[in-house]
Amino acid sequence: MFDEQEDKVLFDRANLLKSEYVIRASGIVRKRENPNPNIPTGYYEVLVRDMEVLNESAPLPIQIIKQTEDSEEIRLKYRYLDLRRERMKNNIIMRNRINFEIRRFLNERGFIDIETPFLTKSTPEGARDFLVPSRINPGRFYALPQSPQIFKQLLMVAGFEKYFQIVKCFRDEDLRADRQPEFTQLDIEMSFVDENDIYELIDNLFFSILKNVYNIEITIPIPRMKYDEAMSRFGSDRPDLRFGMELNDITGIVKKFEPKDFIAEGIENGDVVYALVSPLSEKITRKYLDNLTIRAKDAGCRLFSWGKVQNGGISGPFKKLFGRDGIQTDIAGDNQAIIYSCMGELRTVQSFLGEIRLEIGKILDLAPKDRLNFIWITDFPLFEWSEDENKIVSVHHPFTSPKEDILNVEGDDVYRIKSRSYDLVLNGVELGGGSIRIHRADVQEKVFSILGLTKEEIDEKFGFLLEAFKYGAPPHGGIAFGLDRMVMMFQGEDSIREVIPFPKTASGICPLTGAPDEVSERQLDELGIKLKNN
Ligand code: ASP
């Protein structure tokens, strides 16, 4: 507060101050004559007697106090200004508090924080590697770790038993909304454990974070659900349990109501019919419903139809296909409702309706924003066929232990094997996942060979790990969480970029520094690299 009567010269100088000037001021602290209870400093003021301008500020490219909608490009270009905003600052401060609580909790339980290398060899987590050329070993490259997976397992072989690290990981993925090429993981590994030890540790870790940082008490143990059940009830391996609207297998009902020949044949050949039932609402438009039919086809489903159940009758395409008298009551009971039904291969149908369930949940605003619904998803398949890569891949990663003996399993039977892996899901978002690991060289070799690696490739890529397993490797298991995502969820943000101080845009660019950048001819020469299209 500058008082014109007290000091006219100082008052005039103060009038020249602009937004974000840095000043040093001294004066007398006093009660305000007209207190403002709406601001934290509303009861007191400083009557300034002396003031020095330490630095001026150019006109601001983005407003700091006023809420404005700035483009992401501008926000990231001037991130240091964006971070001055209250909300952003708070996110970063809360991130530190969460980190601190994690460290406190794990230290108390005897975990030790151990650093693992960034310049290393490929770690298979399903993405591409970022490569770093080695100048002093021409023609050779380091890979930045996609996760510390192999090193944390080696630390178990080394006898550390309880490891953790809050660590940067690097994954070169194609443009995907809300992914960052570098992100932070909370990485954990333990020896002589089974799944229950992991659940107990993590349940308590999340209890502590939410209690000590947010004063929220969650109920533990966190419930568990097997992958197959999650798929058949929610059509997703990361179900959002904040609302019901579960999928129903109506294959039996359809059969009972004597379906048309081609439907009966489909079922005969192994197709299933699933249905989702939502309340009637004007928000679900005819256009949306008709569009679902096209989308279902694109998703690989054989038949999709919707029908409106009103006053006991049914209308819409469903009526023509399945509408024998009374079928709607078997599916939707006595409710006024919309039935969405889908026929085809089990997982395709489940996944499609799972997607629609989430969409309709959003349209009808079914998920309460302030609810935290945690769930463990367990018993994933060990392998799956990847259409994109046209080969068999690990659902988690190749170090995951099978649930049963795998040494004698051959052919398509491998798809039936479940793994000892688990994901922790919060409100439909996967917070993290892990597994009990393979600790025997013969089992690990078998998994690699199922994944199509030759003996030479196994040796070249993972020989050092298999060798380590020969020297008394203890049984072990662990888990890792996406810390950015965790903070985002707890802070109620929609994007991980809101909780990372200096993130990249969705296309992997840093508008602040201009990275990634071109490098000089000399640097390339030193590395022995020649660009193709230069
Ligand atoms: N390395 C795994 C991942 O990054 C986590 C784990 O299995 O512990 O997803």
Side-chain angles (χ1 to χ4, degrees), residues 71 205 337 339 351 391 407 410 412 424 484:
S71 71
L205 171 66
I339 297 177
S351 302
K391 63 173 195 198
L407 291 176
E410 298 297 338
D412 276 356
L424 184 65
D484 311 298

Side-chain angles (χ1 to χ4, degrees), residues 109-114 156 159-164 189-191:
R109 289 205 171 208
F111 282 79
I112 52 175
D113 179 351
I114 309 178
M156 295 305 110
F160 281 100
E161 291 193 23
K162 287 177 175 181
Y163 144 96
F164 87 99
E189 196 77 9
M190 294 150 92
S191 288

Side-chain angles (χ1 to χ4, degrees), residues 221-283:
I222 291 170
R224 299 165 203 168
M225 188 183 285
K226 291 194 169 139
Y227 168 84
D228 285 342
E229 183 181 341
M231 288 304 292
S232 72
R233 289 177 56 193
F234 300 97
S236 168
D237 58 3
R238 45 190 163 87
D240 188 343
L241 302 181
R242 287 174 300 169
F243 63 100
M245 219 167 70
E246 296 185 15
L247 319 188
N248 299 303
D249 181 351
I250 58 163
T251 319
I253 299 178
V254 167
K255 261 166 63 187
K256 200 172 82 188
F257 282 86
E258 293 167 6
K260 295 192 164 44
D261 285 352
F262 76 99
I263 294 176
E265 260 165 45
I267 295 175
E268 197 68 19
N269 291 331
D271 275 2
V272 293
V273 191
Y274 266 60
L276 186 70
V277 180
S278 86
L280 263 187
S281 163
E282 277 165 14
K283 290 191 198 147

Side-chain angles (χ1 to χ4, degrees), residues 326-368:
I327 186 168
Q328 71 277 7
T329 322
D330 275 30
I331 300 170
D334 293 330
N335 301 316
Q336 313 271 66
I338 307 178
I339 297 177
Y340 315 74
S341 84
C342 193
M343 177 172 139
E345 186 269 326
L346 180 73
R347 293 285 184 235
T348 314
V349 163
Q350 289 173 337
S351 302
F352 180 68
L353 284 182
E355 199 183 309
I356 304 310
R357 172 182 175 270
L358 285 184
E359 252 176 43
I360 293 171
K362 251 202 198 114
I363 297 173
L364 300 180
D365 209 9
L366 297 180

Side-chain angles (χ1 to χ4, degrees), residues 125 147 149 152 171 185 187 396-397 433-435 437 478-480:
E125 297 280 359
S147 84
Q149 186 61 39
K152 68 174 171 174
R171 296 185 190 176
Q185 267 193 359
D187 200 41
H396 190 49
H397 53 51
S435 56
R437 322 298 184 190
I479 192 160

Side-chain angles (χ1 to χ4, degrees), residues 76-119:
L76 293 186
K77 177 156 191 237
Y78 297 101
R79 190 59 157 184
Y80 45 86
L81 296 179
D82 192 42
L83 287 173
R84 283 189 198 168
R85 291 168 159 167
E86 209 52 49
R87 195 185 101 224
M88 293 303 290
K89 181 159 292 160
N90 188 45
N91 284 348
I92 304 301
I93 290 172
M94 293 308 281
R95 184 180 176 124
N96 171 58
R97 288 192 53 192
I98 292 171
N99 271 351
F100 182 81
E101 183 56 29
I102 292 171
R103 291 182 188 283
R104 190 200 62 73
F105 176 91
L106 291 173
N107 270 287
E108 211 161 76
R109 289 205 171 208
F111 282 79
I112 52 175
D113 179 351
I114 309 178
E115 290 174 69
T116 49
F118 278 176
L119 296 178

Side-chain angles (χ1 to χ4, degrees), residues 2 22-27 46-54:
F2 296 87
V22 186
I23 61 166
R24 184 193 59 74
S26 58
V46 177
L47 173 65
V48 179
R49 287 269 160 83
D50 180 34
M51 189 237 337
E52 182 190 348
V53 174
L54 299 178

Side-chain angles (χ1 to χ4, degrees), residues 125 149 152 171 185-189 198 202 376-377 380 396-397 400 420-425 430-437 478-482 485:
E125 297 280 359
Q149 186 61 39
K152 68 174 171 174
R171 296 185 190 176
Q185 267 193 359
L186 163 61
D187 200 41
I188 293 176
E189 196 77 9
I198 305 277
I202 301 303
W376 283 106
I377 305 297
F380 286 83
H396 190 49
H397 53 51
T400 299
R420 297 181 68 184
S421 67
Y422 30 77
D423 277 359
L424 184 65
V425 173
E430 184 201 319
L431 284 183
S435 56
I436 302 302
R437 322 298 184 190
I479 192 160
F481 295 94
R485 219 180 284 173

